Amino acid sequence: MDEYTADTFVNRDEPVPVLAFSGTGSPPPDPEGKRSRLRESLSNSKVKEKLQDGASSRSETGFSLQDRLLTKLLQQVIPTENIEEVLELPPDKRSSKYIGRPGFSLPLMTNNFRRFNSRIGIVFVFQTRLIRVLTWRDPTHTLSLLAVCTFICLDPYLLATLPIAVALLFVMVPAYLIRHPAPPPTVSHTSYSLNGPPLAPARTIKPAAEMSKDFFRNMRDLQNSMDDFSNVHDGVLKIITPPTNFSNEALSSTIFLFLFVSTCTLFIASHLLPWRLMSLFLCWVSITLGHPSVQQFVLNNRESHLRPHERTAQSWLDAWIARDIVLDEPPETREVEVYELQRRTGGRKGEWESWIFSPNPYDPLSPQRIAGERPKGTRFFEDVCAPKGWEWGDKKWVLDLGSREWVEERMVQGVEVEVEGERWVTDLVVDDDASSTPKKGKKTSPERGEGEGQGPSGMWRRRRWIRMVRRKGVSSTNGKDG
């Protein structure tokens, strides 16, 4: 018999349940939020590009004229701005060269959703049967699962036989029994013989037909599964995020310390732990907790037995954190510098004129000086700002009295250093012509080293001012991703 009978994987049992947590659930409708999320999802660059890429593939799938007109309308509405052009990024052609994936398209997404919903039934069948086993609907099935888990926990090498056994028991044997069905119950028989030619056609799997009951069952279960995922996601974040995001820095530091110590301990002594017995214990406890009687017993005795222990553990943890976790360290501080530059006017014997406050000393061998550029900075002391992310740690600037030290640290050449007085570091000149104002582009390369009274002074002098800064707190608005 070469005929085939088509069947569909679909959950014809009870619907997939929807999980609920206290304080969570589906959010109320928010028109403004929906519009903002829609604007974010339909970005100006990606949607336009993917719509154009998907136009070539839609002709092969045979979309209707209405779908094509809708796609053309979206292409006209969405501007042609490209994110690579805005950010000045090189175009990445790997996705279109090595991966044949069509771009975003509303008609294509609708078609793919229909195809996906027609074929997702096998997942819901497995999910429903797993729920029935874990909730002890059929105790013999649950005990059989416990037996399998016990063998695997005690002998982990049996895990390699599990996929093969599943293929034999849940794929091959049912397929053979369909080809060789049992005799009708009305016929008296003493035994069921599997000999002889096949009596029934083989079964094939087909997608659920659109607008059928199975199609809408899949949509129902898909809707509930999406709600389950959202609720689980929000519930997990509600539990994990507060103690791990350092909003409570003492608690997060304690958790970090425990995790670090546990990692080091397991790295050294993990081979000494009875992993098989621990896995067996966790397996039996997790499956036993799914029994309705056990759940009811735990809920009834939680307030009288578990709550006191939870409060004791919480008080011990709070006392330990208050005693051993110290978070009153001062903020990070740094020392910043600025150079006060003065320029001589009126020749060698002219007077010094305050010129600029610069982050660089503008020494004779500095790149700016060699290139003939003017020094960069601000004219007034009050306009000097702290670096980004820092704030002033003291009230005023302090003159650096160690002028010789910072000159030697930066290996500044061709200068005269004052070790007393106002601590000016003045340029030296080789001949009399160097005392005149140099033209832009003319390089200065003095041959003398730093010292005192080694020759006539040049046209620039500087001294170093220092001030302390400390790290500034970052506000929540600055931490958001644009």
Side-chain angles (χ1 to χ4, degrees):
M1 296 182 64
D2 297 333
E3 295 84 0
Y4 295 92
T5 58
D7 197 2
T8 302
F9 274 114
V10 66
N11 176 29
R12 298 186 178 92
D13 204 343
E14 58 187 7
V16 174
V18 176
L19 303 179
F21 298 92
S22 59
T24 62
S26 300
D30 183 9
E32 295 298 332
K34 290 181 180 179
R35 285 195 291 268
S36 62
R37 289 192 296 270
L38 181 61
R39 287 194 297 269
E40 293 176 359
S41 61
L42 297 176
S43 59
N44 295 341
S45 59
K46 294 297 181 182
V47 180
K48 178 70 176 180
E49 176 184 356
K50 293 182 178 180
L51 281 174
Q52 293 176 350
D53 294 340
S56 59
S57 63
R58 282 192 293 274
S59 59
E60 301 177 0
T61 57
F63 289 147
S64 63
L65 180 61
Q66 180 181 0
D67 297 336
R68 298 180 183 178
L69 290 177
L70 178 61
T71 302
K72 292 294 184 181
L73 177 61
L74 289 176
Q75 291 180 357
Q76 297 298 326
V77 171
I78 298 174
T80 58
E81 182 182 8
N82 195 353
I83 190 64
E84 284 81 5
E85 298 176 357
V86 175
L87 299 180
E88 299 181 356
L89 298 177
D92 187 4
K93 299 181 180 180
R94 294 176 297 174
S95 59
S96 59
K97 183 177 181 180
Y98 299 104
I99 303 176
R101 293 183 178 178
F104 172 77
S105 170
L106 290 179
L108 184 60
M109 183 175 64
T110 304
N111 180 66
N112 289 342
F113 175 77
R114 293 198 300 263
R115 296 176 62 242
F116 173 80
N117 188 72
S118 300
R119 294 160 175 80
I120 195 61
I122 187 173
V123 177
F124 300 134
V125 170
F126 174 77
Q127 182 179 354
T128 303
R129 294 182 179 179
L130 182 63
I131 291 174
R132 293 178 64 88
V133 171
L134 295 179
T135 54
W136 295 76
R137 300 288 184 86
D138 194 341
T140 56
H141 292 175
T142 308
L143 292 176
S144 300
L145 177 63
L146 280 173
V148 173
C149 293
T150 301
F151 282 116
I152 293 177
C153 292
L154 296 180
D155 190 2
Y157 295 105
L158 295 177
L159 189 62
T161 64
L162 186 60
I164 303 175
V166 169
L168 287 175
L169 296 178
F170 296 99
V171 178
M172 302 301 296
V173 172
Y176 185 83
L177 293 179
I178 290 175
R179 292 280 280 170
H180 299 268
T186 57
V187 180
S188 60
H189 61 280
T190 57
S191 63
Y192 175 27
S193 177
L194 297 177
N195 297 327
L199 303 177
R203 184 183 65 172
T204 59
I205 306 301
K206 69 172 184 178
E210 293 186 12
M211 308 304 294
S212 63
K213 290 184 178 180
D214 293 339
F215 187 82
F216 286 101
R217 288 190 183 102
N218 287 344
M219 292 188 66
R220 173 203 63 193
D221 293 337
L222 183 60
Q223 160 197 290
N224 297 343
S225 298
M226 290 190 294
D227 198 7
D228 287 341
F229 176 81
S230 301
N231 292 337
V232 171
H233 178 272
D234 296 341
V236 170
L237 289 184
K238 184 178 180 181
I239 296 174
I240 294 180
T241 302
T244 57
N245 64 354
F246 285 87
S247 57
N248 185 353
E249 196 164 354
L251 179 59
S252 299
S253 301
T254 303
I255 295 176
F256 177 84
L257 179 62
F258 285 165
L259 293 177
F260 179 76
V261 173
S262 301
T263 302
C264 296
T265 304
L266 290 177
F267 185 79
I268 298 173
S270 59
H271 64 285
L272 302 177
L273 298 178
W275 292 107
R276 297 182 180 182
L277 296 179
M278 293 170 58
S279 302
L280 180 62
F281 175 76
L282 292 177
C283 178
W284 273 81
V285 168
S286 59
I287 296 179
T288 304
L289 288 176
H291 197 282
S293 301
V294 177
Q295 292 181 356
Q296 190 64 33
F297 175 79
V298 172
L299 292 177
N300 293 338
N301 295 273
R302 180 180 181 183
E303 294 295 332
S304 58
H305 294 83
L306 295 181
R307 286 294 185 184
H309 295 289
E310 291 179 1
R311 288 191 289 266
T312 303
Q314 183 67 34
S315 60
W316 176 85
L317 181 61
D318 294 339
W320 189 86
I321 292 175
R323 182 178 65 254
D324 294 338
I325 302 298
V326 179
L327 297 175
D328 56 352
E329 297 181 357
E332 181 183 1
T333 58
R334 296 281 182 88
E335 183 182 82
V336 295
E337 62 181 7
V338 68
Y339 294 91
E340 179 186 0
L341 298 182
Q342 289 189 354
R343 186 172 180 270
R344 188 195 297 273
T345 58
R348 180 185 302 177
K349 295 184 179 180
E351 296 182 355
W352 292 101
E353 178 184 356
S354 180
W355 192 258
I356 204 171
F357 292 91
S358 174
N360 302 314
Y362 199 64
D363 58 277
L365 297 181
S366 63
Q368 291 180 340
R369 194 78 171 271
I370 295 176
E373 299 177 359
R374 309 293 289 182
K376 298 178 181 180
T378 180
R379 292 281 296 179
F380 305 101
F381 221 155
E382 294 78 8
D383 296 336
V384 180
C385 300
K388 186 178 181 180
W390 299 78
E391 60 183 1
W392 298 121
D394 45 19
K395 295 183 178 180
K396 58 181 181 179
W397 292 88
V398 178
L399 179 63
D400 186 5
L401 301 180
S403 55
R404 182 178 296 275
E405 285 75 8
W406 70 261
V407 169
E408 293 177 351
E409 287 176 0
R410 289 160 177 77
M411 294 183 292
V412 178
Q413 301 291 327
V415 293
E416 178 184 0
V417 182
E418 288 185 5
V419 295
E420 296 180 357
E422 297 182 347
R423 267 62 174 187
W424 289 105
V425 178
T426 310
D427 293 349
L428 293 176
V429 294
V430 179
D431 47 32
D432 296 341
D433 296 334
S435 61
S436 59
T437 303
K439 296 181 180 180
K440 185 175 181 181
K442 185 177 181 180
K443 298 182 179 179
T444 305
S445 56
E447 299 178 355
R448 301 187 184 184
E450 50 85 15
E452 293 185 63
Q454 295 181 0
S457 58
M459 62 177 300
W460 292 99
R461 70 176 183 177
R462 77 280 301 152
R463 57 182 176 179
R464 182 173 180 257
W465 295 84
I466 57 176
R467 191 172 180 180
M468 300 302 296
V469 294
R470 59 171 176 265
R471 287 294 299 271
K472 181 172 60 175
V474 180
S475 60
S476 57
T477 56
N478 295 334
K480 293 181 180 179
D481 295 334

